[in-house]
């Protein structure tokens, strides 16, 4: 597996939008935009992210194919991390490897990650990368239209 990260470019954003159209992925991610099919909102959101130098954002390339993204930002004085991998690449260690590489770039600790409690794949990725369960809360999941159990993991 030849995996590397690069700075997110404007050309990557339409592929991120394609990933967001997968109903299996949005259900599993749960905490998605209110309307994942709104291309204009998606583009505006990413333009805002691209213009914010405090957000660390990388595209994930596997064998030179763009397969997802990973990012970190500060929210309420805590550094958070998120990632998205296209479903074609689930279950092959891509998210784990991308997170491992990203954590060498983004060295701030502690760092927090959130996932739907039933997202076993994401839980597995976080634990493989040294995150430990920090809290369990309830949060509204746009992709599911209801409050669900959310797990908060912490590294460092």
């Amino acid at each position: 597996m030849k995996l590397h990260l690069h700075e997110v470019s404007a050309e990557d954003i339409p592929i991120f939008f394609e990933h967001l159209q997968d109903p299996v992925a949005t259900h599993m991610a749960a905490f998605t935009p209110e309307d994942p099919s709104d291309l204009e909102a998606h583009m505006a959101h990413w333009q805002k992210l691209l213009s914010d130098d405090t957000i660390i954002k990388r595209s994930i390339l596997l064998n030179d194919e763009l397969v997802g993204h990973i990012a970190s930002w500060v929210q309420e004085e805590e550094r958070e991390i998120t990632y998205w991998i296209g479903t074609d690449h689930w279950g092959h260690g891509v998210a784990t490897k991308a997170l491992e590489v990203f954590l060498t770039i983004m060295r701030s600790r502690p760092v927090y990650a959130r996932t739907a409690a039933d997202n076993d794949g994401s839980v597995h990725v976080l634990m493989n990368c040294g995150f430990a369960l920090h809290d369990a809360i309830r949060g509204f999941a746009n992709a599911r239209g209801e409050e669900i159990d959310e797990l908060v993991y912490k590294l460092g």
Side-chain angles (χ1 to χ4, degrees):
M1 168 186 339
K2 181 184 164 201
L3 184 139
H4 69 277
L5 307 180
H6 75 79
E7 293 277 348
V8 173
S9 69
E11 294 78 30
D12 298 340
I13 297 169
I15 296 171
F16 300 162
F17 182 74
E18 288 176 28
H19 291 163
L20 198 56
Q21 302 317 296
D22 186 316
V24 172
T26 55
H27 178 82
M28 191 55 63
F31 302 99
T32 62
E34 191 171 325
D35 180 3
S37 68
D38 185 340
L39 178 59
E40 187 176 315
H42 174 80
M43 297 302 285
H45 172 74
W46 272 98
Q47 288 306 316
K48 184 178 172 183
L49 295 179
L50 288 176
S51 68
D52 188 339
D53 292 336
T54 67
I55 299 172
I56 304 165
K57 51 234 170 251
R58 298 290 187 272
S59 295
I60 302 167
L61 288 95
L62 177 64
N63 302 323
D64 297 319
E65 176 189 356
L66 179 61
V67 299
H69 63 274
I70 189 165
S72 180
W73 70 99
V74 176
Q75 181 174 310
E76 298 178 15
E77 300 182 29
E78 293 181 343
R79 182 149 289 277
E80 300 255 349
I81 196 166
T82 189
Y83 49 87
W84 189 288
I85 305 295
T87 55
D88 289 348
H89 302 284
W90 286 8
H92 303 287
V94 175
T96 299
K97 181 65 176 169
L99 182 54
E100 288 171 349
V101 172
F102 189 76
L103 290 170
T104 68
I105 297 165
M106 194 287 304
R107 296 186 172 273
S108 297
R109 304 290 187 272
V111 61
Y112 297 85
R114 299 166 181 266
T115 185
D118 61 356
N119 187 339
D120 295 336
S122 196
V123 167
H124 185 72
V125 167
L126 294 169
M127 292 179 68
N128 279 347
C129 291
F131 284 77
L133 184 60
H134 176 71
D135 201 1
I137 60 176
R138 299 274 298 166
F140 187 81
N142 285 326
R144 300 183 191 183
E146 64 182 342
E147 272 197 6
I148 65 169
D149 292 329
E150 181 178 11
L151 301 177
V152 181
Y153 283 82
K154 179 181 176 182
L155 177 67

